Every structure is written in C-alpha cells, then in structure tokens.
Amino acid sequence: HSSNKKKIDSGKICLVQKIKIKKNELAINLWLKIIKNIPKLIDKLILKLKTNKLNFYKNDPTKRKKFPTYIPNNGRVTKNIDKNEFLRMYRASYYTPFKSSWGNLNFKYEKKIYYIKKINLTKIITNKFVKKISSSKFIINIKNEKFITEVR
C-alpha cells in the first residue's frame, strides 16, 4: 500500500541545525551556508554515536513550511507582476552558476524565451515591458520599476 511507503522528511530527527536566513538572501547563499555547516553536523553525529547519546525526535509536521515544488507561472515574468514578488522569486531561484531545480525567472521577447541571470534596478526610462539593450541585457518594466537584466 502507498500508506506504507516512506516519504521525504517523514522520519525521525536526530540533529537540528538552525541557520539564519536574511530577508534579501539569495538561494545560492543559503545553500552555501548549509554546505558549510555539514562537517560540524557530522562531527556532532559521530560524537553522539560514540557516546551512545543519540536521541531521536518525532518529526513535527506542523513546523514544516510549504513551498511550491516549481517556480510559479513557470517563472514567466509579466508586466503585471509585483516588484516584491519578482524580487522574492529571483532570490529563491538564483543558483548561478548552477541551474535551479525549482526553476528560473524568464521573459518572452520577440517570440524567444530569455532566462534571467542577474538583475539590477535602473532609472533608464522606457514604457515598453521589455527593451533590448544588447544580446545579453534587457530592461524589464514591472509596474513602473525598471530592472536591467542579464540573460543566458
């Protein structure tokens, strides 16, 4: 039966490591913090195993946070997206130089899809939703906020 199958994050917990997440932190920076803490956790685990002090705690489903499995709207940016939503999605999907398994922000320009690699606010004036500056740079106009984007 499917009810007997193990599910991800359904087992007991033996170690917990809290990591502070800053409000404007990029996903790649959080990933690097986690990687940096792994050796410390392994040392803790080995010590607990050696001293026979390994305790297991039941996984509390109420403490789980629900995140979408894939980037909303397939990552497609439209002119009606809210600036804060755009920035939040950018931070969550930024894994450069790696491809995000969650998805990447993108936009369509002249029937071609461009994936956003980097963004910066700009004061360059344009009324168009997307304005091409060069082969790898565009201005995106989102609710009167303009961003220069580098694409891949």
Side-chain angles (χ1 to χ4, degrees):
H1 292 294
S2 62
S3 60
N4 293 336
K5 289 183 180 178
K6 299 282 181 188
K7 293 183 180 178
I8 293 174
D9 286 343
S10 65
K12 293 183 178 181
I13 298 169
C14 63
L15 289 172
V16 174
Q17 175 71 47
K18 291 185 179 184
I19 296 173
K20 228 176 207 176
I21 302 172
K22 296 175 186 171
K23 183 180 177 187
N24 294 325
E25 192 151 31
L26 298 171
I28 187 73
N29 295 31
L30 181 58
W31 181 73
L32 291 170
K33 279 183 185 179
I34 291 168
I35 296 297
K36 185 179 174 185
N37 278 289
I38 288 174
K40 293 176 198 171
L41 280 174
I42 291 171
D43 288 346
K44 256 187 188 178
L45 178 64
I46 290 169
L47 183 62
K48 285 183 176 261
L49 286 168
K50 281 181 177 178
T51 58
N52 205 20
K53 293 184 178 179
L54 189 61
N55 297 316
F56 289 94
Y57 307 93
K58 189 173 180 173
N59 197 337
D60 184 354
T62 63
K63 292 184 179 181
R64 288 186 203 150
K65 297 199 176 180
K66 300 289 181 192
F67 297 103
T69 307
Y70 297 100
I71 193 167
N73 197 31
N74 292 320
R76 182 66 42 91
V77 176
T78 65
K79 62 182 172 185
N80 297 323
I81 192 170
D82 177 75
K83 171 191 167 191
N84 293 327
E85 179 70 12
F86 174 70
L87 291 171
R88 200 168 77 228
M89 286 173 50
Y90 173 73
R91 287 190 306 271
S93 65
Y94 187 87
Y95 276 89
T96 295
F98 310 105
K99 187 176 181 192
S100 170
S101 61
W102 187 57
N104 294 97
L105 285 179
N106 62 79
F107 60 90
K108 199 171 192 176
Y109 178 75
E110 294 184 351
K111 298 181 183 180
K112 186 175 176 190
I113 296 172
Y114 293 88
Y115 288 89
I116 297 172
K117 182 169 75 172
K118 188 176 179 182
I119 62 171
N120 288 304
L121 271 168
T122 184
K123 295 193 187 273
I124 298 173
I125 297 171
T126 180
N127 292 327
K128 294 179 180 180
F129 166 53
V130 178
K131 181 178 180 178
K132 189 172 187 173
I133 298 174
S134 72
S135 61
S136 64
K137 289 187 181 182
F138 294 80
I139 296 174
I140 295 183
N141 186 1
I142 300 171
K143 290 192 176 180
N144 295 321
E145 291 285 354
K146 287 132 185 95
F147 293 90
I148 289 185
T149 63
E150 288 182 33
V151 297
R152 53 182 155 117

